[in-house]
Amino acid sequence: MKTMWISCLLQLIIISGTIAFADNSIILDKPFETVALDIVKAMKNRKTERNYTNQIISQQHLSTLLWAAYGINRQDGKHTVPTAYGKDYIKIYVIYNEKSYKYIPEKNLLQFIQSNVATSMASTQGWVGKSRCVVVIVADVNAFPFYVGAKEEKIRLANLTAGCIAQNVYLISAALHIGTCLVAGVNETGCRKALKLNDTDIPLIVMPLGYLNSK
């Protein structure tokens, strides 16, 4: 029993209230339950921002942003956005503090992929590399029902969901005073390398995140 406990402890390193596994995966802080900004004010404040400070997004802010993007909001495991046929064909990836992760919403976990990853790898737009945190919305075309035959139709449906995700990120970012931008200039080769995507994974949208410079 003692050996088992020691083994478990060695697998976990507690850092600033968050839990990091030995493989660098991270159990994120709990998302904010409430944010002091109503939905109408958030819509009024929603806008594209491309200039950020060099400060890394806090893990609680990132946790809240990812939950809004594609988190679980019901006991039946459904998400904060609609999906066609109720299927789980969206994957959310993050390049954060020079590491890449896959977001696991069921566990509020960032599953470590690899280190030494630059945010600039995600996009063909050079300014994206100035952000220290980038969210990449990816579609797994293999996760659709068999009767959705054409790949183009699968991507069309995935883009509908990705649009809902992007708007959620915009609104929660406005509420948290964080800047973001919907970037369609995806570097597919760079994303595949940075995120170790499967052949059936299609990167759809890149969204850099950053704290805003005071004006």
Side-chain angles (χ1 to χ4, degrees):
M1 180 65 71
K2 184 177 180 180
T3 301
M4 183 180 72
W5 277 107
I6 292 173
S7 177
C8 290
L9 287 171
L10 288 173
Q11 290 295 313
L12 300 171
I13 305 172
I14 301 177
I15 304 174
S16 301
T18 63
I19 298 177
F21 288 90
D23 70 347
N24 290 322
S25 294
I26 299 171
I27 295 180
L28 291 165
D29 295 335
K30 186 178 180 181
F32 289 122
E33 292 286 345
T34 59
V35 178
L37 191 71
D38 67 46
I39 188 67
V40 174
K41 186 69 178 293
M43 288 180 176
K44 288 182 178 179
N45 291 348
R46 189 222 67 81
K47 60 182 177 179
T48 288
E49 298 276 5
R50 294 184 177 86
N51 296 309
Y52 317 122
T53 70
N54 195 43
Q55 182 182 358
I56 191 68
I57 296 288
S58 75
Q59 289 191 7
Q60 189 165 35
H61 279 164
L62 182 57
S63 175
T64 305
L65 285 156
L66 293 173
W67 176 83
Y70 199 61
I72 305 297
N73 68 348
R74 283 159 285 177
Q75 290 186 351
D76 62 1
K78 298 297 184 181
H79 294 273
T80 54
V81 293
T83 61
Y85 310 102
K87 299 301 182 181
D88 195 12
Y89 48 77
I90 290 292
K91 299 177 182 178
I92 304 293
Y93 290 87
V94 183
I95 300 174
Y96 178 65
N97 204 19
E98 299 183 345
K99 298 180 179 68
S100 59
Y101 301 89
K102 180 182 178 183
Y103 175 53
I104 310 297
E106 296 82 3
K107 298 180 180 179
N108 198 32
L109 173 73
L110 288 180
Q111 185 178 72
F112 176 74
I113 299 172
Q114 61 181 328
S115 299
N116 301 316
V117 180
T119 53
S120 60
M121 296 173 69
S123 176
T124 58
Q125 297 188 23
W127 68 268
V128 172
K130 296 178 181 179
S131 170
R132 296 184 65 190
C133 181
V134 167
V135 170
V136 184
I137 305 170
V138 173
D140 179 2
V141 296
N142 206 37
F144 281 87
F146 70 92
Y147 45 81
V148 185
K151 180 179 179 180
E152 292 75 13
E153 176 66 3
K154 294 175 181 179
I155 293 175
R156 184 185 73 83
L157 293 172
N159 272 313
L160 294 176
T161 300
C164 295
I165 292 171
Q167 184 70 338
N168 279 9
V169 173
Y170 263 116
L171 293 176
I172 196 65
S173 294
L176 296 174
H177 307 289
I178 290 171
T180 192
C181 175
L182 189 157
V183 178
V186 177
N187 183 341
E188 184 168 344
T189 300
C191 283
R192 292 194 178 281
K193 183 177 180 180
L195 309 175
K196 295 186 177 180
L197 299 180
N198 299 322
D199 291 341
T200 59
D201 291 334
I202 309 296
L204 303 174
I205 293 173
V206 171
M207 297 191 78
L209 300 167
Y211 293 116
L212 299 174
N213 290 295
S214 58
K215 298 178 180 179

